[in-house]
Amino acid sequence: MTSSKDDAATDLLIREVDDDLRQENLEKAWKKYGGLFIGGAVAIVLAVAGAQAWQTWRHGQNLQASLRFTEASQMLDKGDKAKGTEALQALVASGPSGYKLLSELKLAQVKLADGDAAAAAALYDRIAADGGVDDIYRDMAVLKSAYIKLETGDIALVEKSVAPLAVESGAWRHSAREILALLALKAGDNAKAMDLLRKVADDVAAPAGIRGRAAELLAALESAAKG
């Protein structure tokens, strides 16, 4: 029968052998795969460095675009419409996505101020159709185009573009409902217009300006209906 001292010696020997085997296996693994580990570490470092370089470059591009947009706006404010418009068009062609959008919106304002409603609506339509633009801005462009087309656009087409934005969860539902109400009035459907205006006027989340216009027009329609 083995003594407890022998058992302890055996356990110690087994642990030492296990440690030696583990060390030997680690050395073999390092010799075999060490290059991959080093390569992976280098790749991680390069990826981090690349990401930081990209962020620095992107920040620089946005800063340059910001200055160019400011200069273009100042040219327009000073009455130099040709150079201001040219600068904005250059940003649309080659600027970062955010400043491209801002420039297109600014160009649409310029066209509208010049009385060229069709050109302004076309610019808004282009933004609305751009899949690279966030939905919130595309929807805004749909509404801006629709406001322009209220007088001269095809009622059915304008209504089709705006209706999806009038849902209860829509961020632009108040403006969309105002437009749909005006389209209904144009089509002679006063009941529908009043229903839409009431939704806007009763919605405490609606912007004060839109809510006030809706309430005023609703009161006028209700007064006309009673008279």
Side-chain angles (χ1 to χ4, degrees):
M1 181 178 292
T2 61
S3 67
S4 59
K5 186 181 291 186
D6 292 335
D7 290 340
T10 301
D11 289 342
L12 180 60
L13 179 60
I14 290 172
R15 284 198 298 272
E16 288 177 351
V17 170
D18 283 345
D19 288 342
D20 287 343
L21 287 172
R22 277 196 291 270
Q23 182 64 29
E24 183 181 353
N25 288 334
L26 283 172
E27 289 176 356
K28 287 180 179 179
W30 182 254
K31 288 177 181 178
K32 185 175 182 178
Y33 301 112
L36 293 177
F37 296 152
I38 293 173
V42 170
I44 291 171
V45 171
L46 288 176
V48 172
Q52 291 176 339
W54 165 253
Q55 290 295 336
T56 301
W57 178 83
R58 185 177 179 184
H59 176 72
Q61 290 294 104
N62 284 331
L63 181 59
Q64 289 181 13
S66 174
L67 293 173
R68 290 166 62 191
F69 180 80
T70 300
E71 289 174 356
S73 298
Q74 290 173 344
M75 290 175 191
L76 292 171
D77 292 340
K78 292 177 181 178
D80 195 344
K81 193 174 298 181
K83 286 186 177 180
T85 299
E86 184 179 352
L88 289 174
Q89 289 172 338
L91 273 172
V92 171
S94 62
S97 58
Y99 285 96
K100 174 184 176 182
L101 173 61
L102 281 175
S103 299
E104 286 182 314
L105 290 172
K106 188 72 173 180
L107 284 170
Q109 291 177 355
V110 171
K111 293 295 184 183
L112 197 56
D114 286 345
D116 194 346
L123 282 168
Y124 288 131
D125 288 342
R126 189 167 73 185
I127 294 170
D130 188 344
V133 175
D134 287 346
D135 288 346
I136 192 74
Y137 300 118
R138 294 175 64 190
D139 293 345
M140 178 187 70
V142 168
L143 294 173
K144 284 184 172 291
S145 176
Y147 273 118
I148 294 172
K149 295 174 182 176
L150 277 171
E151 292 299 322
T152 59
D154 183 293
I155 292 178
L157 289 178
V158 176
E159 183 176 8
K160 183 179 179 180
S161 68
V162 172
L165 308 183
V167 296
E168 200 61 41
S169 60
W172 300 103
R173 64 184 182 279
H174 314 105
S175 295
R177 288 170 179 172
E178 180 182 42
I179 291 171
L180 291 174
L182 295 173
L183 289 172
L185 280 177
K186 189 175 180 181
D189 192 343
N190 286 17
K192 181 179 179 180
M194 291 168 67
D195 181 59
L196 287 162
L197 291 169
R198 193 171 290 110
K199 287 182 179 179
V200 177
D202 293 344
D203 191 340
V204 294
I210 296 177
R211 194 179 180 195
R213 290 197 302 270
E216 186 176 346
L217 182 53
L218 177 62
L221 289 172
E222 288 176 338
S223 177
K226 291 176 182 178

